[in-house]
Amino acid sequence: MGPHPAHRPPRATSAHQIDLLAQVDHLRTLGADFGALHTSVTKLKAEPGSELLAQLAPKIVQIHELFGRTLQRLAALDGSQYTVVPGSRSSLETLSSAAATASLAAADLANAVAENPLEGADFAGGPPVDDDAVRRVRHAEAAPRLAAALADAAHDLDLCATSCLYTASGIIRNLTDHPEHRPPLPHLTPAQHTALEKIAQGGASLSRSLRGGRESVQASDGSTIHAKPFHVLAENRLIRVQGTSLLVRDITITTAGRLALATQKPGRAPTAAPAKVPTAVATGARRR
């Protein structure tokens, strides 16, 4: 007789396929945003009053937004083809820790809100007090608690930034160590390879003329990148065009572009052709 249904192991299910290299780009951006928020929190002064409250409120909102983005990245990676890559568990646990730490950072700033003494009238008929003296005492007592809460929040945000960047590096390391799981990349022609190298070295800019809307791409060294290789690189998401200006936009290399440069030489085939990605992974609850 087989095991009782309640004791049967979970069945393997099909892994959902995601763009792992795009996830790395998202994680690096997320890490940079956590880092920027960490820097802004370290600049807050633990001076009690309404001004501090006005500064804390948007910071708490930003942390919750980054917390949500962290959960999105974790949900995308969990159950994807990445989970069968050796070493992936460590990266996933690091990212889940980042989500938990982000919630702690928000709680730290919320504690600062609670510790921050605000001004208001006392109940009518209460004992007479020297308002200025009471205010000074309340502020003096609150200041060290506020400083501790802000320091804790900054520390947690720094950990979040590090964890996101560590996860991104871990994914690349896992794919490098196990090329059979590496996503396929387009084979670069010599012209495309040269253009991509220039963009990798210092970026580039896309300019549009006022008359006729003609576009030109210029590398940081002043040389021109021809339109044909540029558009191929953009279509294959090896580069990213950023900015809202209609006249000049920045061009940077993506994780996919860096991996293409690392695995290919001009005029040669990729160093290792990726094997077919497994389509099934075992899923189950994982204890923290």
Side-chain angles (χ1 to χ4, degrees), residues 227-262:
K228 187 174 181 179
F230 166 75
H231 287 299
V232 172
L233 295 176
E235 289 171 1
N236 286 283
R237 299 181 181 179
L238 302 182
I239 57 175
R240 181 188 301 108
V241 181
Q242 297 173 297
T244 58
S245 172
L246 296 177
L247 299 180
V248 181
R249 303 176 69 184
D250 294 329
I251 303 169
T252 56
I253 189 170
T254 64
T255 297
R258 293 193 182 279
L259 191 57
L261 285 179

Side-chain angles (χ1 to χ4, degrees), residues 128-142:
V129 294
D130 185 336
D131 290 340
D132 288 338
V134 171
R135 178 179 179 275
R136 286 195 297 271
V137 170
R138 292 177 66 212
H139 283 209
E141 292 176 344

Side-chain angles (χ1 to χ4, degrees), residues 23-256:
Q23 291 298 319
V24 172
D25 286 328
H26 289 315
L27 285 167
R28 286 174 174 163
T29 299
L30 183 59
D33 290 344
F34 268 121
L37 186 54
H38 159 260
T39 299
S40 67
V41 169
T42 59
K43 294 180 180 179
L44 293 178
K45 295 181 180 180
E47 297 178 354
S50 298
E51 183 177 348
L52 178 61
L53 176 61
Q55 296 178 66
L56 290 174
K59 297 290 188 290
I60 294 174
V61 172
Q62 290 176 50
I63 294 176
H64 283 298
E65 189 267 334
L66 295 180
F67 170 73
R69 286 167 55 190
T70 305
L71 289 181
Q72 288 178 344
R73 301 280 73 81
L74 183 61
L77 291 168
D78 182 52
S80 72
Q81 77 271 25
Y82 177 58
T83 57
V84 302
V85 180
S88 59
R89 180 181 298 176
S90 175
S91 297
L92 292 173
E93 290 177 345
T94 299
L95 190 57
S96 65
S97 177
T101 305
S103 67
L104 292 177
D108 292 332
L109 292 190
N111 287 334
V113 171
E115 294 289 355
N116 185 34
L118 301 176
E119 303 305 320
D122 205 346
F123 290 105
V129 294
D130 185 336
D131 290 340
D132 288 338
V134 171
R135 178 179 179 275
R136 286 195 297 271
V137 170
R138 292 177 66 212
H139 283 209
E141 292 176 344
R145 296 195 295 268
L146 289 173
L150 295 178
D152 288 343
H155 175 70
D156 288 337
L157 291 170
D158 189 40
L159 287 178
C160 289
T162 301
S163 297
C164 289
L165 297 178
Y166 181 89
T167 303
S169 298
I171 294 174
I172 293 299
R173 182 173 58 252
N174 298 150
L175 295 177
T176 301
D177 293 343
H178 303 279
E180 67 275 13
H181 294 286
R182 196 166 59 212
L185 294 169
H187 174 55
L188 299 176
T189 66
Q192 294 164 9
H193 195 281
T194 299
L196 190 58
E197 275 191 324
K198 288 184 177 182
I199 295 172
Q201 290 170 0
S205 60
L206 174 64
S207 303
R208 184 190 300 270
S209 64
L210 288 173
R211 295 183 178 181
R214 183 178 179 181
E215 294 183 343
S216 62
V217 181
Q218 190 172 49
S220 61
D221 62 2
S223 62
T224 298
I225 297 177
H226 295 294
K228 187 174 181 179
F230 166 75
H231 287 299
V232 172
L233 295 176
E235 289 171 1
N236 286 283
R237 299 181 181 179
L238 302 182
I239 57 175
R240 181 188 301 108
V241 181
Q242 297 173 297
T244 58
S245 172
L246 296 177
L247 299 180
V248 181
R249 303 176 69 184
D250 294 329
I251 303 169
T252 56
I253 189 170
T254 64
T255 297

